[in-house]
């Protein structure tokens, strides 16, 4: 399994106890934290430039709304295409996102509406006071999309949305490759 955007490594640690996992994150600090948890195979890698051979993994995990960092539905399509490339013919991907059709705009920091049904955006940055100096982190932009829009994105791809697990304003989705 590949844990994409592993953060501090709590999922990777859990997965490693049950089998092989490769954890990746664009942040060297996150990779160090994951390594400190004892995860053996953790790499600094951008999810938009993954350097894995085709069919390398049986499954992929993108937990933490990373899929939304693709900025647009076309970007999500490209990222899911890359996941299809690195997963084998029985591939499974678990992804999550906020559902703008089940979310009040005031419920989410940085919420930005979109005129298209089932789509919104989230844009924000963090500001820090470090030793009396104001630091501003990079601006993050997420595309938020409903489960129906996720189904739209997978049309014509090897993926099908096999399961949606809704929670208030949020959902997890299990994608499975179609047998061809």
């Amino acid at each position: 399994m590949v844990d994409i955007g592993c953060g501090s490594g709590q999922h990777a640690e859990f997965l490693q106890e049950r089998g092989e996992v490769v954890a990746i994150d664009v942040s060297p600090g996150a990779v160090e934290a994951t390594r400190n948890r004892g995860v053996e195979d953790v790499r600094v890698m951008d999810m938009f430039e993954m350097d894995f051979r085709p069919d390398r993994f049986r499954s992929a995990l993108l937990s933490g709304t990373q899929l939304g960092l693709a900025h647009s539905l076309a970007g999500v399509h490209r990222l899911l295409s890359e996941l299809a490339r690195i997963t084998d013919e029985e591939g499974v991907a678990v992804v999550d996102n906020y559902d703008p059709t089940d979310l009040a705009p005031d419920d989410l920091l940085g919420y930005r509406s979109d005129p298209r049904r089932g789509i919104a955006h989230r844009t924000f940055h963090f500001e820090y006071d470090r030793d009396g100096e104001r630091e501003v982190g990079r601006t993050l932009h997420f595309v938020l999309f409903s489960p129906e829009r996720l189904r739209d994105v997978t049309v014509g791809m090897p993926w099908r949305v096999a399961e949606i697990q809704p929670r208030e304003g949020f959902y997890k989705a299990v994608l499975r490759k179609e047998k061809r």
Side-chain angles (χ1 to χ4, degrees):
M1 169 175 272
V2 60
D3 181 357
I4 299 170
C6 65
S8 65
Q10 86 182 58
H11 292 110
E13 179 183 32
F14 175 84
L15 294 166
Q16 180 176 267
E17 291 170 3
R18 285 147 184 82
E20 178 195 12
V21 67
V22 177
I24 68 168
D25 202 292
V26 71
S27 165
V31 166
E32 182 180 347
T34 301
R35 194 170 283 127
N36 289 341
R37 280 185 179 269
V39 176
E40 295 168 12
D41 194 348
V42 58
R43 308 169 190 191
V44 174
M45 187 181 297
D46 188 318
M47 69 181 178
F48 299 107
E49 299 174 8
M50 291 186 286
D51 186 25
F52 294 116
R53 66 174 168 73
D55 302 324
R56 166 67 175 86
F57 300 101
R58 171 65 46 91
S59 55
L61 174 66
L62 281 91
S63 182
T65 68
Q66 277 88 354
L67 198 57
L69 285 169
H71 302 286
S72 67
L73 295 183
V76 171
H77 188 274
R78 284 189 297 277
L79 183 54
L80 290 177
S81 293
E82 182 63 5
L83 287 183
R85 183 189 72 79
I86 67 170
T87 53
D88 66 21
E89 64 185 17
E90 296 178 15
V92 175
V94 177
V95 302
D96 58 23
N97 206 342
Y98 291 100
D99 181 355
T101 64
D102 188 33
L103 188 67
D106 293 340
D107 289 347
L108 192 62
L109 172 73
Y111 182 92
R112 303 288 184 261
S113 62
D114 189 290
R116 297 169 291 173
R117 172 115 176 102
I119 299 177
H121 301 270
R122 183 179 191 200
T123 305
F124 64 92
H125 66 265
F126 292 105
E127 296 183 18
Y128 305 91
D129 183 357
R130 188 171 300 192
D131 300 325
E133 298 278 329
R134 179 177 172 241
E135 292 186 27
V136 178
R138 69 184 177 107
T139 298
L140 297 172
H141 171 232
F142 295 83
V143 62
L144 314 178
F145 47 89
S146 68
E148 280 308 309
R149 296 312 298 256
L150 177 59
R151 285 184 178 90
D152 293 345
V153 168
T154 62
V155 169
M157 300 185 79
W159 298 114
R160 69 175 172 81
V161 178
E163 182 181 342
I164 297 290
Q165 301 168 3
R167 288 195 321 226
E168 199 170 313
F170 184 82
Y171 66 93
K172 284 196 178 293
V174 176
L175 310 177
R176 295 191 185 280
K177 281 194 172 173
E178 296 262 301
K179 302 270 191 220
R180 297 204 180 234

